Amino acid sequence: MRRADRLFQIVQLIRGRRLTTAAFLAHRLEVSERTVYRDVADLQSQGVPIEGEAGVGYRLGSGFDLPPLMFTQDEAAALVASARLAQSWVDAAMARDIESALGKILSVLPPAARVSAESLALYAPAYVLDAGTRDRLQTLREAVQSRHKLRMDYRDVAGAPSQRTVRPLGCFYWGKVWTFSAWCELRDDFRGFRIDRIDTIEVLPERFRDEPGKTLADMLRRLKADA
């Protein structure tokens, strides 16, 4: 890879993430971390507002942008494949947004790249999720974003019912089923729930704020430690 191309890729990678480490950049670009440090310093000296430092991580400051990117044929095909797969496993609202976004991307591709991407022979069956699961997934996803508490009627693996009030933290796809993780006020602890075992969901007017020990990051750290 030419150095000019590498510098361009560094900017793209940094601006696509909240915080990017030199180790991540070195792995993606197949160079040493020392090379990354030198390249980032050169970009900073040229006026690119990269904030951060070696050993901590980098992010791109506000007010900086690059011209619109043009996708290669392989990149366009990858986007089509990802969109087709995702549409089968997300809720209806997000599936429509995926279709709209993909249409916008394809509309600006060169004709050859567009034809190649649209003719990709990779498909996913439609409606692999039942309507109830799709609706619940959308409710949960939106509650995670809006930070509204939820009240739900849930059945465990043995079919025993319970009513929970939870702080929704995130939805997870496992290849066959969707689950969502939450802070459960009944158990006073993190809990995971299969979305297809939820009978009813009520979005409560009460919102929640992050509290130490009750966040998604806290849950993921615990899972990592347990593993």
Side-chain angles (χ1 to χ4, degrees):
M1 180 185 295
R2 296 182 308 161
R3 185 164 187 269
D5 294 332
R6 190 173 70 242
L7 294 177
F8 180 81
Q9 287 298 320
I10 287 175
V11 175
Q12 293 301 319
L13 291 167
I14 291 176
R15 80 171 184 174
R17 297 163 56 89
R18 299 178 71 178
L19 189 67
T20 305
T21 65
F24 172 83
L25 293 170
H27 176 73
R28 287 292 300 269
L29 299 172
E30 299 181 346
V31 296
S32 68
E33 291 186 36
R34 179 175 296 182
T35 297
V36 170
Y37 296 147
R38 184 174 62 248
D39 288 347
V40 169
D42 288 345
L43 287 167
Q44 290 171 325
S45 68
Q46 294 171 26
V48 180
I50 297 176
E51 302 170 352
E53 57 186 79
V56 178
Y58 302 105
R59 65 180 182 181
L60 198 62
S62 60
F64 180 82
D65 204 358
L66 290 173
L69 296 178
M70 184 56 64
F71 298 104
T72 66
Q73 288 192 15
D74 288 343
E75 289 170 340
L79 287 171
V80 170
S82 300
R84 288 177 180 174
L85 293 172
Q87 282 179 302
S88 295
W89 290 100
V90 298
D91 57 79
M94 180 163 282
R96 289 193 296 270
D97 289 339
I98 290 172
E99 184 70 27
S100 176
L102 185 60
K104 292 177 181 178
I105 292 171
L106 292 175
S107 69
V108 299
L109 291 177
R114 178 171 183 170
V115 170
S116 175
E118 291 181 325
S119 62
L120 178 68
L122 189 153
Y123 304 93
Y127 308 114
V128 292
L129 296 180
D130 62 89
T133 299
R134 283 182 178 271
D135 290 344
R136 290 189 290 271
L137 177 59
Q138 181 176 342
T139 299
L140 292 167
R141 177 176 61 80
E142 292 174 348
V144 171
Q145 293 176 312
S146 65
R147 306 179 71 75
H148 277 91
K149 288 187 177 183
L150 301 170
R151 182 182 294 123
M152 66 181 191
D153 294 310
Y154 185 74
R155 293 173 289 105
D156 65 16
V157 65
S162 63
Q163 187 175 83
R164 311 290 185 99
T165 298
V166 301
R167 301 180 179 194
L169 300 176
C171 299
F172 298 84
Y173 175 58
W174 299 95
K176 292 184 178 180
V177 298
W178 275 96
T179 66
F180 91 100
S181 295
W183 177 265
C184 178
E185 296 189 349
L186 176 65
R187 304 302 185 192
D188 195 32
D189 201 357
F190 297 111
R191 285 293 186 269
F193 304 92
R194 276 185 51 156
I195 293 178
D196 58 351
R197 292 180 184 157
I198 300 173
D199 290 326
T200 63
I201 305 176
E202 178 186 359
V203 181
L204 302 177
E206 181 183 359
R207 295 182 181 232
F208 63 92
R209 296 182 178 179
D210 284 344
E211 294 181 23
K214 298 182 180 181
T215 68
L216 179 61
D218 293 321
M219 186 198 76
L220 295 176
R221 279 193 292 268
R222 182 190 295 185
L223 291 175
K224 184 177 180 180
D226 291 344

